[in-house]
Amino acid sequence: MSSHVAHHFDDASQQFDAARLGMWIFLATEVLFFGGLFTGYAYYRTLYTPAFIEGSRHLDLVLGTINTAVLLLSSFTIVLAIRGAQTDNRRATIALLAATIVLGTVFLAIKGYEYSVKFEEHHVPGASFSLGETHDEAVEPRHVEMFFALYFGMTGLHAVHMIIGVGVVAVVCVLAWRGHYTSQYYTPLEITGLYWHFVDVVWVFLFPLLYLIR
Amino acid sequence: MSEQIVPVKTYAGVLAALLVLLVATVAAGLIEGPGLGITTALSIATVKAVLIVLFFMHVRHGSPIVRLAAVAGFLWLALLIGLSMTDLLTRDGPPATDIPAGSAPDASLGANSSPTGPKMVEQLASFSPRNEASSQSLIATGTKIIDAAITTQGAADRGQARAVR
Amino acid sequence: MNNVQLPKRHYLNADYNVWSWLLSTDHKRIGILYMISLTLFFFVGGAAAVLFRLELMTPGGDLVLSETYNKLFTLHGVIMVWFFLIPSVPTVLGNFFLPMMIGARDLAFPRLNLASWYLFVGGGLFTVWAMLTGGVDTGWTFYTPYSSTYANTRVMLTAIGVFVSGFSTILTGMNFIVTIHTMRAPGMTWFRLPLFVWAHYANSLIMVLATPVLAVTLLLIGMERVLGVGVFDPNLGGDPLLFQHLFWFYSHPAVYLMILPGMGVVSEVITCFARKGIFGYTFIAFSSLAIAVLGFLVWGHHMFVSGQSVLASLTFSFLSMLIAVPSAVKVFNWTATLHKGSISLDTPMLYALGFIGLFTMGGLTGLFLATLAVDQHVHDTYFVVAHFHYIMVGGMVMGYLAGIHFWWPKMTGRLYPEWWGRFSAVLIFFGFNLTFFPQYLLGYLGMPRRYHVYPDEFQVLNVMSTAGASILGVGYLIPLVYLIWSLRYGKIAGPNPWQATGLEWQTPSPPPTFNFDETPSVTERPYQYSPWTPQTAPPPEPELAAAETTSP
Ligand SMILES: [Cu+2]
């Protein structure tokens, strides 16, 4: 029995299975947590299609595309970091986890820039919201405001998950550097990876739904 | 630990596929026209998600229960969206949200603001075995209750609350 | 047999200082922590009920203002639903016995388990504080626009409290599912699991898949209130029905959170006190899963008069009828278990029998409400109030008390006074029916819920209801007194006072810190009462085994 096995488990593999299943169940709850917002999105996109097209055109498609690529790449780096642990390649694990942190930070920085532009354009929902120039004259500004409410709600919740993710990856990176993980024991790495990929999957859906309504 | 070690080549292939699909989404998304964009966008996103889940999240080698957990969340979300949209798409009255901009809240008074379909209420009411005595007694003492309702904004729990105000 | 003694070392005397409780990761101690906190919340929610039942004795608003009345029923609903009923059986009895029943040393994630208790108590105290100092008048459903446009009360603070405790529910559900999957003792196959465990498995599925939707709904209310954007407000372009869809997607399954664990308890108690194997084990096990899944498909029956489309209403009505099938499967199987059993009417059995009768009445009236035309008539009347109290109080509270009395000897090592136990069980049954049966009549006659004044002709039934509530209140206080009394003066129970068959009875009472001195290996199906065979009986030489186990 290795020292990583808690007293109430029989062996490391039981502990690994438990942790992984637990994470998957947690991710299922996360799907439904985001799901409420997706339901709201489906509802109002159906009711106010022109307003949603209008809102979408005010988003920066280039930055959105770059961010998607950044996130997909970070999923690749973290999965290789886990592979590094599986093959006892500690240096690779540390370097790839660091790369993941960098990519996550780049994503958040671009997102932050996009938010600041929206703020200047008065596209943040609330008292000071104003639509400004429109592509479609007939569109109702308060309905576009609802699009932006969903945009900020969904990407904001996603960004919160990203911030947590970067923090967790930083922690496991330090632990990897201290030599905590080997091919015999890398449960926390695998669990962190699952979380990171999930956040990626959410973005994979958010991107076309928000940036690409035409 | 009984994890399969997947070759780097596989992971790289998945990443390449994901990036190609990203380009495809953007290209398809730029096509104008109702209905076409969302269908392609969601199909491509689903393919991408499946790739990530199967390969990056190791569900391909996962136990049946892990696969079930992975599917359950999405299945339940489909239930939530599917049944809610069944309601929204088949309402026969004007949508609840069809109130002209700038109209005072009072403009929404009355049954017309009901998203229902007052029609539905009528239809069903004609079938409903109303208890005569109780309706009478309610009408007789209705004033009392309405008085109470005025001081009690938070009393009833109907969705048609806006009809009350 | 008479000189049974408490074991020298057990989980209760392993350590005495406060931190050994507040930082304990032992599932048994956490179960006790939950029991204490739930009891406190129960009496807060009960006190609110006492006040509004007093108010309703007279047709006029004589005791409290309408605003206060609204705050009282909201307090009652919020506390009872989220801080008593939903956590009751799972967090107390589930926490304590689920690992023991499957032969595990603890839950899969003991520290998360402790964290969920802190989230629960933190969220609960915050909610109680918000509701006692400012109050909320929206009803426990937080319907918009009461909770958004028109709320001047502490809606957001209360919602935050509920939101936080929601995470406790999610973590508990996750912990249970993982534990059942990965921690079963050797030989404990899926079809040797006690039905209590099956019920908790189904229950945990709901906890995990429904609760996050409540969380995000509360978040959306916050968004609408803070940003002033139309999420649900029709004046701003929102749709209040979206709120109801999201809310009931959580809250209808949550109704099953408030009954499934109770069903699990009843399955255990019925077989033990009928001395007979359960009838239709697999049917009961799978009906729990069927209830959990179907429970997600029926939420629109709360929206028949809200303006939902006719097609959606018809669909939801039909699906709501379907869910009666697995519920009926359970009731029929319990009844068949009783048939030709040698029944002894001990306290847990009295509660369990009460459960079956009251749940059946609550369930059947639920069918009335699922019928479109009847619902037009009784929607939002006292008929609905009576219906869900028959399920939640007649069902779940009875189930909880059945379980507490059944396992009390195991948890504490001591027996409660049986005469008082039976007396209060009968008293509660009587008080309950006197409280809520008149409410069916009131509702059918047309008295709407949530008003503090009513027409004079409804007074007789209301006075009956209030009288019943007083009896019910006394009935709940009696167990509180004698259970605490029994901690010191109760007779020593011994490991298996009911001669039950489950693993939890094959270890000393109270159990040692790691539950079993050595990991049990399971050789038998559960519920073999005639002839009596515990789940750990060694397979060869049956006579010898019986002789050994009957004299512990
Ligand atoms: Cu329901």
Side-chain angles (χ1 to χ4, degrees), chain C residues 252 255 301-302:
Chain C
H252 185 82
V255 171
H301 62 216
H302 296 270

Side-chain angles (χ1 to χ4, degrees), chain A residues 38 41 45 52-53 56-57 59 61 64-65 68 147 154-155 200-214, chain B residues 21-22 24-30 37-46 48:
Chain A
F38 278 97
Y41 175 90
R45 178 169 170 167
F52 271 53
I53 294 175
S56 178
R57 290 196 163 181
L59 299 180
L61 181 57
T65 311
T68 313
F147 169 82
M154 293 167 111
T155 58
D200 194 3
V201 167
V202 172
W203 183 261
V204 159
F205 284 97
L206 285 182
F207 171 65
L209 289 179
L210 294 172
Y211 286 80
L212 280 171
I213 318 177
R214 290 294 184 271
Chain B
L21 285 168
L22 170 62
T25 324
V26 177
L30 291 175
I38 180 110
T39 326
T40 31
L42 282 179
S43 319
I44 296 177
T46 308
K48 280 158 87 179

Side-chain angles (χ1 to χ4, degrees), chain C residues 248 251-253 255-256 295 298-302 320 387:
Chain C
W248 290 113
S251 275
H252 185 82
V255 171
Y256 295 103
V298 302
W299 77 81
H301 62 216
H302 296 270
S320 303
H387 154 69

Side-chain angles (χ1 to χ4, degrees), chain C residues 114-375:
Chain C
L114 180 67
S116 9
W117 181 71
Y118 276 99
L119 287 173
F120 171 74
V121 171
L125 290 178
F126 190 77
T127 308
V128 170
W129 167 75
M131 296 187 82
L132 287 184
T133 54
V136 179
D137 62 1
T138 60
W140 76 279
T141 51
F142 291 115
Y143 262 32
T144 55
Y146 303 133
S147 58
S148 50
T149 321
Y150 291 105
N152 313 311
T153 51
R154 297 201 155 167
V155 175
M156 267 346 279
L157 289 179
T158 309
I160 290 169
V162 172
F163 183 87
V164 169
S165 67
F167 285 98
S168 142
T169 310
I170 292 175
L171 293 179
T172 305
M174 181 186 103
N175 221 336
F176 283 179
I177 295 179
V178 175
T179 306
I180 296 170
H181 269 285
T182 59
M183 311 278 290
R184 282 170 286 131
M188 183 54 94
T189 56
W190 282 89
F191 292 101
R192 282 179 183 163
L193 286 174
L195 290 166
F196 181 84
V197 178
W198 275 101
H200 273 76
Y201 188 80
N203 194 57
S204 306
L205 288 179
I206 302 178
M207 285 178 157
V208 160
L209 292 168
T211 318
V213 179
L214 174 71
V216 77
T217 311
L218 296 174
L219 212 66
L220 283 170
I221 289 187
M223 222 164 97
E224 172 158 318
R225 287 174 64 104
V226 173
L227 297 176
V229 199
V231 182
F232 304 123
D233 183 352
N235 284 314
L236 298 167
D239 182 356
L241 284 197
L242 174 63
F243 172 84
Q244 295 181 25
H245 277 303
L246 293 173
F247 180 80
W248 290 113
F249 179 85
Y250 160 76
S251 275
H252 185 82
V255 171
Y256 295 103
L257 294 180
M258 294 181 252
I259 198 69
L260 273 170
M263 292 171 158
V265 172
V266 169
S267 299
E268 298 295 313
V269 171
I270 289 278
T271 53
C272 180
F273 293 95
R275 308 310 298 170
K276 213 175 142 232
I278 193 98
F279 186 88
Y281 172 92
T282 26
F283 279 92
I284 298 186
F286 282 113
S287 66
S288 290
L289 292 181
I291 286 175
V293 173
L294 282 175
F296 279 95
L297 303 175
V298 302
W299 77 81
H301 62 216
H302 296 270
M303 300 164 64
F304 289 161
V305 301
S306 297
Q308 183 178 238
S309 83
V310 180
L311 176 70
S313 290
L314 288 172
T315 313
F316 281 122
S317 173
F318 172 73
L319 291 166
S320 303
M321 298 285 164
L322 275 189
I323 204 164
V325 176
S327 310
V329 163
K330 283 190 192 282
V331 171
F332 290 141
N333 279 302
W334 291 326
T335 316
T337 306
L338 291 172
H339 179 66
K340 288 190 175 168
S342 51
I343 295 168
S344 51
L345 294 175
D346 292 282
T347 312
M349 186 63 157
L350 288 177
Y351 281 114
L353 293 175
F355 176 104
I356 296 178
L358 299 177
F359 169 73
T360 306
M361 277 188 70
L364 289 176
T365 50
L367 286 177
F368 297 17
L369 291 166
T371 315
L372 289 174
V374 179
D375 188 62

Side-chain angles (χ1 to χ4, degrees), chain B residues 95-120:
Chain B
T97 43
D98 213 17
I99 302 159
S103 65
D106 292 336
S108 67
L109 253 178
N112 286 340
S113 73
S114 155
T116 22
K119 210 166 129 199
M120 169 194 155

